[in-house]
Amino acid sequence: MNSQEFNTIVAIITVGHSRIIKFERVAWEKGTTGEVLETRYFILTHLSLFLLHPLDERPALRDKGSKVLSIWRHGDVRLLCNNHSCRVRCDATCHVENENIISFSLALRCCNHSTIIDTDTDTPPLTNDDRKRLQLPPLTDAQKERNINATIELQKYCQSGSKAMFDAWLLRATRKVLDEFYDISKEKKHRK
């Protein structure tokens, strides 16, 4: 379930080595995606700020005169290879060139709820009964303690007002970007 607040941007700050993010404009019909109509790549450099606009993920007529609805799908994020002879996907020969690079991104977004996620299963923590039914090993004492501590920390964060302050800031930033975007769009229309 996507916890992102409706109509808000995602702000991505990259730290360290540059990354490449792939965007595909895909045909959209009755809730399913079809053929890839266009592909674009963006380079996220050190300390760059990338804003993902909420309208990109909504079906729209994007080609003049076309009757095909499309959305922008993003993903396939990868590190920019240091090997200058590499032209497409890296392989084993690129390993030496890339072994010491470090990169991470911070993705900031307004959320309408918070959930603790078990990194082993990418789902909320399962009880031992659930784990048994799914034929997973029972939680270790360390995992149980980690889940309890994470829940306590999340509750502290939500109750301290920090989460509300951050959500309010990101909502203001989203509104500002949307206002500026629409003002620019209106100016362009008036010039034509």
Side-chain angles (χ1 to χ4, degrees):
M1 176 167 57
N2 189 343
S3 64
Q4 185 173 341
E5 194 71 46
F6 184 69
N7 248 355
T8 59
I9 60 171
V10 176
I12 300 170
I13 301 169
T14 299
V15 179
H17 193 77
S18 297
R19 296 163 165 255
I20 300 170
I21 187 169
K22 178 177 163 182
F23 275 73
E24 293 178 322
R25 188 167 62 90
V26 293
W28 185 92
E29 185 178 339
K30 297 180 184 172
T32 61
T33 56
E35 72 173 297
V36 175
L37 305 170
E38 181 179 357
T39 302
R40 292 187 185 180
Y41 297 90
F42 295 92
I43 297 176
L44 311 175
T45 59
H46 175 61
L47 296 182
S48 65
L49 173 65
F50 183 85
L51 300 177
L52 180 61
H53 197 284
L55 293 180
D56 288 345
E57 297 175 312
R58 268 199 227 133
L61 296 173
R62 290 181 163 83
D63 292 324
K64 200 172 192 172
S66 174
K67 301 219 184 303
V68 176
L69 289 171
S70 65
I71 64 168
W72 281 100
R73 177 173 60 197
H74 60 280
D76 198 18
V77 179
R78 61 187 173 98
L79 292 173
L80 186 65
C81 185
N82 278 337
N83 183 356
H84 297 294
S85 62
C86 178
R87 296 284 177 244
V88 281
R89 277 296 202 184
C90 295
D91 58 27
T93 60
C94 300
H95 178 71
V96 174
E97 296 286 334
N98 295 320
E99 72 178 343
N100 292 316
I101 60 177
I102 295 175
S103 179
F104 65 92
S105 291
L106 301 171
L108 309 171
R109 64 184 185 170
C110 287
C111 295
N112 52 27
H113 69 274
S114 303
T115 303
I116 301 296
I117 300 296
D118 183 334
T119 56
D120 293 334
T121 62
D122 291 327
T123 63
L126 303 171
T127 65
N128 276 332
D129 290 340
D130 293 331
R131 295 178 74 83
K132 186 176 183 180
R133 194 175 59 244
L134 295 169
Q135 298 178 345
L136 295 170
L139 289 172
T140 65
D141 289 341
Q143 288 171 318
K144 287 179 194 173
E145 185 178 342
R146 186 185 72 206
N147 290 342
I148 290 167
N149 290 339
T151 302
I152 291 168
E153 288 302 312
L154 180 62
Q155 288 169 345
K156 281 185 197 173
Y157 173 69
C158 291
Q159 293 167 357
S160 72
S162 297
K163 179 183 181 305
M165 285 173 37
F166 173 76
D167 286 349
W169 169 83
L170 194 53
L171 190 57
R172 283 193 312 273
T174 299
R175 286 185 180 138
K176 183 178 180 187
V177 168
L178 288 173
D179 289 345
E180 289 174 6
F181 172 77
Y182 288 121
D183 286 344
I184 291 169
S185 297
K186 288 176 189 173
E187 285 176 25
K188 287 181 181 177
K189 287 179 185 175
H190 290 300
R191 287 186 205 153
K192 290 182 179 179

